[in-house]
């Protein structure tokens, strides 16, 4: 969905490096999410934010941090990357409301050597 | 918290056949059940969803059914086509202030 963009699309880094993945959206949604996808494990929630001043840990937040710079921007950081953080990372957004209809970005493929 | 189980993990059908993917959820308070399709190299895309006040919803060749008593919901694809080949995810959430819990996905392969 072009309304949700992620940069970079691919990244190769080395163990111990700090990296940042960025997400921007033009959907005007309040809520943003970061997921990690590993083969056979589905989508696991890392962090989520229901508005600019709200940050919440998901089920696998260890080793990650986030920043909600504006309603439209939500960044994910790996403070010291390790090889088992090699995965696909997706950003998603949803509107405020009773039902959690989420829209996903195209993903970032991260490889930690 | 919520737990979503999805079966099968892989499904192979011939073009024109029907495909059914099933999910069960654990929390009876869940009220929203979306299905996502993920094509190779792309992010998941919402294809259909159902809310707890509805038992069935249909959109052309795809349909979703919900059985709240048994806590399971299913995706039905009729007259499958090769372009239906993808990974499908089910999910569930409890109200507007919760997050989505995803199943582990089903890889559907439709052979011509």
């Amino acid at each position: 969905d072009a309304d949700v963009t992620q940069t970079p699309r691919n990244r190769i880094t080395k163990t111990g490096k700090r990296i940042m993945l960025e997400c921007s959206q033009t959907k005007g949604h309040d809520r943003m999410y970061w997921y990690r996808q590993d083969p056979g494990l589905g989508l696991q929630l890392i962090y989520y934010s229901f508005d600019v001043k709200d940050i919440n840990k998901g089920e696998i937040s260890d080793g990650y941090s986030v920043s909600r710079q504006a309603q439209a921007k939500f960044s994910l950081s790996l403070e010291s990357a390790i090889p088992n953080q090699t995965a696909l990372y997706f950003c998603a957004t949803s509107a405020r409301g009773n039902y959690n209809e989420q829209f996903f970005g195209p993903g970032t493929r991260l490889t930690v050597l | 918290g919520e737990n979503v189980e999805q079966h099968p993990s892989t499904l192979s059908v011939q073009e024109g056949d029907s495909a059914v993917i099933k999910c069960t959820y654990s929390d009876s308070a869940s009220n929203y059940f979306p299905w996502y399709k993920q094509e190779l190299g792309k992010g998941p895309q919402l294809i259909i969803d159902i809310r707890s006040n509805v038992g069935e919803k249909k959109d052309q060749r795809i349909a979703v059914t919900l059985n709240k008593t048994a806590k399971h919901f299913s995706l039905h694809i009729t007259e499958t086509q090769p372009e239906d080949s993808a990974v499908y995810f089910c999910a569930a959430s409890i109200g507007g202030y919760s997050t989505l819990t995803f199943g582990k996905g089903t890889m559907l392969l439709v052979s011509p």
Side-chain angles (χ1 to χ4, degrees):
Chain A
D1 191 333
D3 298 323
V4 183
T5 57
Q6 293 183 234
T7 55
R9 294 294 313 279
N10 289 282
R11 178 74 184 269
I12 300 174
T13 191
K14 294 183 178 180
T15 297
K17 295 291 187 181
R18 182 181 188 276
I19 66 163
M20 179 182 289
L21 309 183
E22 299 185 342
C23 177
S24 295
Q25 53 111 349
T26 58
K27 298 186 77 68
H29 289 168
D30 289 319
R31 302 176 176 183
M32 299 186 73
Y33 311 81
W34 275 104
Y35 289 92
R36 167 178 172 157
Q37 185 177 35
D38 297 280
L41 293 180
L43 292 155
Q44 297 175 285
L45 184 63
I46 307 172
Y47 271 95
Y48 62 102
S49 169
F50 278 359
D51 64 44
V52 174
K53 296 181 180 179
D54 176 74
I55 300 289
N56 303 282
K57 292 182 177 180
E59 55 190 303
I60 57 162
S61 59
D62 287 348
Y64 302 94
S65 62
V66 291
S67 173
R68 184 81 184 266
Q69 299 96 325
Q71 186 203 37
K73 295 184 182 297
F74 193 34
S75 300
L76 176 72
S77 294
L78 285 68
E79 298 301 326
S80 179
I82 56 177
N84 76 359
Q85 291 177 313
T86 294
L88 268 172
Y89 290 85
F90 289 100
C91 174
T93 73
S94 68
R96 196 183 312 173
N98 293 327
Y99 301 99
N100 201 339
E101 182 180 355
Q102 294 186 15
F103 298 86
F104 283 78
T108 294
R109 182 172 294 279
L110 176 66
T111 303
V112 183
L113 302 176
Chain B
E2 176 65 280
N3 182 52
V4 177
E5 300 283 341
Q6 183 172 348
H7 299 280
S9 56
T10 58
L11 179 59
S12 294
V13 299
Q14 293 290 318
E15 183 177 0
D17 288 349
S18 294
V20 180
I21 303 170
K22 299 181 179 181
C23 290
T24 60
Y25 59 99
S26 61
D27 196 321
S28 56
S30 288
N31 68 344
Y32 177 65
F33 307 92
W35 286 88
Y36 287 83
K37 176 183 180 181
Q38 185 179 23
E39 297 176 337
L40 195 63
K42 297 184 178 180
Q45 182 178 14
L46 180 70
I47 55 170
I48 195 168
D49 57 16
I50 192 166
R51 301 175 183 183
S52 60
N53 59 346
V54 175
E56 183 174 359
K57 184 177 179 180
K58 192 172 182 179
D59 183 3
Q60 299 183 336
R61 295 187 298 108
I62 61 173
V64 57
T65 58
L66 171 65
N67 183 327
K68 289 191 293 182
T69 301
K71 291 190 283 188
H72 68 70
F73 56 112
S74 300
L75 177 70
H76 304 254
I77 306 174
T78 58
E79 301 173 19
T80 54
Q81 301 168 3
E83 52 265 39
D84 294 328
S85 296
V87 178
Y88 292 81
F89 292 98
C90 64
S93 72
I94 308 168
Y97 284 93
S98 76
T99 58
L100 284 175
T101 300
F102 285 85
K104 288 183 168 44
T106 296
M107 180 176 292
L108 174 65
L109 177 61
V110 181
S111 302

